[in-house]
Amino acid sequence: MEQHAPGARPGFRRIDRATRWAGITLCWAHATAMALTAAEALRDTGTAWWALSWGLTAALFTAWALLRALQKKLSRKGACGKDGEAGPCSPEEPTSYDRAA
């Protein structure tokens, strides 16, 4: 993978690490929210103390989605040519294929 290559940009590695930790935290927050909601349903206490965990899950999901979009943008930017040269993903340069006639 590009992010683990020795020449990977430090900014990309930082975003990659932040995205992974946001995803891990999101999974744990979601699991906690589901467990708290199930406990509330079983105990039927009438309080909404579990709503905070769902709010945290929504906030973490938003943060993770933004980080993931930035990660993909940086990944595509790195896959394209460097210093403005047309790469394989440049819309100006159509992909050329070798065809044997």
Side-chain angles (χ1 to χ4, degrees), residues 23-36 53-54 56-58 60:
I24 290 167
T25 308
L26 171 63
C27 288
W28 279 103
H30 188 227
T32 302
M34 290 190 309
L36 291 174
S53 62
W54 282 109
L56 178 63
T57 300
L60 284 170

Side-chain angles (χ1 to χ4, degrees), residues 30-91:
H30 188 227
T32 302
M34 290 190 309
L36 291 174
T37 303
E40 174 69 25
L42 291 175
R43 294 188 51 118
D44 195 28
T45 61
T47 60
W49 46 267
W50 48 267
L52 180 63
S53 62
W54 282 109
L56 178 63
T57 300
L60 284 170
F61 177 74
T62 303
W64 174 81
L66 292 172
L67 283 168
R68 184 68 175 140
L70 181 60
Q71 182 187 32
K72 284 183 171 273
K73 180 181 176 183
L74 289 174
S75 177
R76 286 190 188 116
K77 187 177 179 182
C80 292
K82 295 180 181 174
D83 299 328
E85 56 182 63
C89 58
S90 175

